[in-house]
Amino acid sequence: MNTPTIDAPLVPSESVLAEVEQACKRACQAIAPAWPLDRAIAVNPHWSRIGMPLRRVAARMAVLGGIQVFPTREQQHQAWQEGRIDAADVEHALRTLPEAQAAGLALPDCLRALLEPADAGRLPLLIDVLDTDPQRQERLSWRQAITHQVSQTCAAYFDQHQSDWQPERQQGLYAFWRETLQHDHGIGLLMGLPDIGRAVHALPATAQEAEHWVLTRLGLPPSVWADYLEAVLLTVNGWASWCAYLGWQANQEGQAPGSEPHLRELLAIRLAWGALLLECKDDGTAQQAFKALQSAWAQAPSVLAQAEQSLLVDEVWQVALEAGYQRTLAQRLLQQPTPQPAPPAVEVQAVFCIDVRSEPMRRALEGVSERIQTLGFAGFFGLPVAYTPLATPARRPQLPGLLAPAMEVVDCVVPPPGAQQMPDAQLQQAAAGSRQERLATAEQWAGATRWPSAAFSFVEAAGWGYLGRLGRWLLPSQQPRAQDHLAGLSPRYRPLCRPQLSGLELEAQVGLAARVLHAMGLKHLAPLVLLVGHGSQSANNAHAAALDCGACCGQTGEVNARTLARLLNAPDVRQGLRQRGVELAESTTFVAALHNTTTDEIEGFDLDLLAPAALQQWQTLQAELLLAGNRVRRERAASLGLDAQQVASELLGQLRRRANDGAQTRPEWGLAGNAAFLMAPRHRSRGMSLDGRSFLHDYNASQDADGSVLELLMTAPMLVTHWINWQYHASTCEPERLGSGNKVLHNVVGGTMGVFEGNGGDLRIGLSKQSLHNGQRWVHEPLRLTVVIDAPQQAIDAVIARHPVVRQLLDNAWLHLWRFDDSASGTSLSTYQHGNWRPVRLQHS
């Protein structure tokens, strides 16, 4: 083999070094983070690109990574054929998009495009133009093989939970990969290069040398360096997203920029593969590859521009798909309610998370009793906390991933009033000691299965008892939702283990309580106030956390609801609130509860701490909770393939068995179908069905004179719901690259990092196909979120002006923003378009 093309690299000048550094930073900044399985939150995978118009991002993803951003033309054609999109929707889209008008697009053009492939002209990488072997059709492509090898290396390097043998990490990811490759005798066979091991000496010695080598030797113009590097990272987008998460966490923990170098080293690994493959080629082939690459990338600006123009019709169809839904939404929101007699006094207030699965339950509760008022509030209940279960080192955030915990919650063993127990400190110590013993025994038992020589003998020793778990999957029970944070606690201590704030002075507790009450808009409190978090229930599900709160780091709302209820019930906190002018009646009691979104049951917590009168109110409420839950279960039954007309107890039993079925790939639909976010008083939506597709956050502008609550809602919950909406959008439009594929084939990587589909390939991020598709059709429609706010125009404009991120989301078409507009002639809706407000007009033919 001849290797003049990859001699030791010349020392670049300072200006070239600066250009290389800038290009690498730009490429890395384009990658959004992906959270681990046990802290799964929904993420917009294009979050780092929201500074560009959506269609431009779609063009870049297609050209650089072969990634679909808009719904596929096949999906849109099916929607047209089924009447989900009609001519009026397309005409509305054409009127809405000035670029479509300038291009002279008409309905026939749009229909014709649906039958044509959307080929944006993907730009090649060095590994592509080098892969010229005539036998390449009989093996993995080099792109696939390299992705597989890099992915396996990352899985070994980043694993800290699954493997008993941990790698040496001190020298970094690049050095670990370089060492690993010297002992990898299988990659050459996969690539049709049996002698590749002899070429390992050609690898750049350091990550920085790999970056410099590629960008100075490929002969590409510096103007496209960042784009080329971004395309390289997109070949391992899953692991790049994991590395971006590690950097995100380091930044939240206050570490210096660049203290998490993993993403740069991953980029260097992918670039170094080019040097290795060039070593395996002769001079003539290498020179031809360079010429082909330079020729293609010289056209990069025009290819990107052409792709952006060709995707205009796809943007038209995206707007058209949304128009049909928005028309129905607008009609419902503008319905004039019929005059009703004055409602009876509210006896129960239930504050639910804004999650779309809460909307049917809120509607059902209000329907079964006029004495119940429901409200919507962010599911972490305004507590920026991290939670540490009793006697464990685990510390998990219980708040949106956009935020860093500022307070701590720990478990305390608290007996009910009047219980005969040992002193509190002694009881706490006894519970902690008991748990540590149980957890240690469980770890020893699990460890017996991990050593190769012990695996078969373990099964023999365990005997038939080892089949118990399998039996529970084959014949799923109706057991209630398991509380993982109580694992290892004996039944004696479980009911007494309660989360509470730690290390917070009374004045700070009072201030926190006052802020939460103000943000909730709770001015007149009922005797019983429920704080209802939510959580899902499923078995054998690697993505179980994704069905809990899609915002709060994949946790249920239990810990936050219980912590807040205890805080607001505390006499000394109430005394402090009174001194601040916030009066909580003695008759008002806060009760923490959890909405099980798989079975639509509501359970209460810490009921043994309630006064007799409050406990009686809770018990009286049970009949209404059961009736409301049954209504929601019947509403959801058809989407799960169940008979909605069967006896209520049978339907509940079926849902419970689904929740405990280890073979069930669709225990529930999660947030599939999410499409709107309503920030308004409840009267704007009370009594109307929003089909479980709307996030609902109560907001009363008359109680927010300075606009501070509105600003909080538009910069926190609105961004979180946007992330949720776009994770579902991206996983539906690009299930292979931005979704996690077939759940049946998943293998967990590193205990919590993510999954492989099968035994390799890239780390899979996003949602599995089973969470979006029922086996016959897509259940989720990829619509951009429509946010509807009931607030003065000036107040909304002020928030947009102060926050560039909000402005980017709106001006670059990542979501829609509407507002209610009340006048003497009635209520209408206005939509925000590039700094102007225009009437919402969605006429139907």
Side-chain angles (χ1 to χ4, degrees), residues 91-332:
E91 294 293 349
H92 164 79
L94 292 171
R95 290 193 305 270
T96 300
L97 296 171
E99 297 90 341
Q101 298 177 33
L105 282 179
L107 177 58
D109 305 312
C110 297
L111 290 172
R112 188 163 48 251
L114 290 184
L115 303 177
E116 300 171 353
D119 186 6
R122 188 173 180 179
L123 290 170
L125 300 176
L126 178 60
I127 57 175
D128 300 319
V129 295
L130 286 172
D131 194 3
T132 57
D133 181 358
Q135 305 299 318
R136 62 184 180 278
Q137 302 301 328
E138 300 176 9
R139 56 165 171 78
L140 288 177
S141 71
W142 284 1
R143 179 186 283 259
Q144 292 171 317
I146 290 170
T147 296
H148 180 86
Q149 192 276 333
V150 172
S151 187
Q152 295 291 325
T153 302
C154 289
Y157 181 82
F158 290 114
D159 173 23
Q160 296 185 3
H161 301 288
Q162 198 165 19
S163 175
D164 287 314
W165 291 280
Q166 294 294 317
E168 172 60 52
R169 301 184 177 92
Q170 290 184 350
Q171 293 183 344
L173 176 60
Y174 182 85
F176 174 75
W177 166 78
R178 199 170 183 272
E179 172 69 19
T180 299
L181 198 59
Q182 294 176 3
H183 306 286
D184 188 343
H185 303 297
I187 187 64
L189 296 177
L190 287 175
M191 302 179 71
L193 297 172
D195 297 326
I196 195 173
R198 300 177 186 174
V200 171
H201 71 274
L203 289 173
T206 67
Q208 189 178 42
E209 285 182 17
E211 294 172 347
H212 295 163
W213 180 89
V214 170
L215 291 182
T216 56
R217 291 304 179 94
L218 291 187
L220 302 180
S223 60
V224 303
W225 284 0
D227 291 342
Y228 184 87
L229 296 176
E230 186 177 345
V232 167
L233 283 174
L234 288 175
T235 66
V236 284
N237 182 62
W239 284 110
S241 300
W242 171 256
C243 293
Y245 162 76
L246 296 178
W248 180 290
Q249 293 302 106
N251 182 62
Q252 282 202 333
E253 294 168 3
Q255 298 181 27
S259 57
E260 286 289 339
H262 304 306
L263 187 52
R264 284 290 290 271
E265 296 209 14
L266 178 64
L267 173 59
I269 288 171
R270 275 294 290 103
L271 293 174
W273 260 108
L276 186 59
L277 295 179
L278 277 173
E279 181 74 3
C280 299
K281 293 288 186 177
D282 58 48
D283 291 350
T285 302
Q287 293 301 333
Q288 288 177 1
F290 279 152
K291 289 180 180 178
L293 193 71
Q294 292 162 4
S295 175
W297 280 88
Q299 305 301 316
S302 62
V303 171
L304 287 166
Q306 290 170 9
E308 188 172 350
Q309 181 61 32
S310 70
L311 288 170
L312 176 58
V313 70
D314 297 87
E315 186 174 22
V316 169
W317 283 105
Q318 174 78 76
V319 174
L321 184 67
E322 291 157 350
Y325 168 77
Q326 290 175 330
R327 182 181 301 105
T328 301
L329 176 67
Q331 290 170 348
R332 292 179 180 177

Side-chain angles (χ1 to χ4, degrees), residues 342-480:
V346 173
E347 298 178 19
V348 178
Q349 290 169 319
V351 184
F352 282 83
C353 178
I354 65 175
D355 188 283
V356 297
R357 292 166 291 184
S358 299
E359 186 267 326
M361 180 61 77
R362 291 183 60 184
R363 177 167 26 97
L365 273 174
E366 293 166 344
V368 301
S369 176
E370 291 184 331
R371 71 187 189 94
I372 300 176
Q373 176 190 8
T374 73
L375 301 97
F377 189 65
F380 75 113
F381 293 103
L383 302 184
V385 301
Y387 165 61
T388 302
L390 177 70
T392 73
R395 179 181 180 268
R396 71 187 196 200
Q398 297 272 154
L399 76 172
L402 289 165
L403 308 174
M407 303 172 186
E408 300 296 324
V409 168
V410 298
D411 280 335
C412 293
V413 180
V414 180
Q420 295 297 317
Q421 297 281 356
M422 61 183 75
D424 289 353
Q426 190 176 347
L427 186 64
Q428 183 91 0
Q429 185 176 6
S434 172
R435 184 178 211 179
Q436 288 171 340
E437 287 183 14
R438 285 167 167 256
L439 291 177
T441 301
E443 177 61 24
Q444 290 177 351
W445 182 260
T449 69
R450 293 201 298 266
W451 297 93
S453 62
F456 294 105
S457 60
F458 174 82
V459 174
E460 286 187 10
W464 290 102
Y466 195 59
L467 298 178
R469 179 175 296 179
L470 179 60
R472 288 192 293 273
W473 286 358
L474 294 175
L475 297 171
S477 70
Q478 298 186 36
Q479 291 296 315

Side-chain angles (χ1 to χ4, degrees), residues 44 46-52 248 402 711 713-720 722-723 798-815 817 832:
N44 175 4
H46 307 298
W47 177 248
S48 299
R49 306 179 179 101
I50 63 170
M52 292 182 281
W248 180 290
L402 289 165
E711 184 165 22
L713 295 181
M714 291 182 65
T715 55
M718 191 172 85
L719 300 191
V720 168
H722 159 78
W723 274 25
V799 175
I800 296 171
R802 284 195 295 270
H803 294 277
V805 169
V806 175
R807 192 162 58 251
Q808 288 174 347
L809 289 174
L810 295 172
D811 290 345
N812 292 326
W814 292 94
L815 55 75
L817 179 61
Y832 180 92

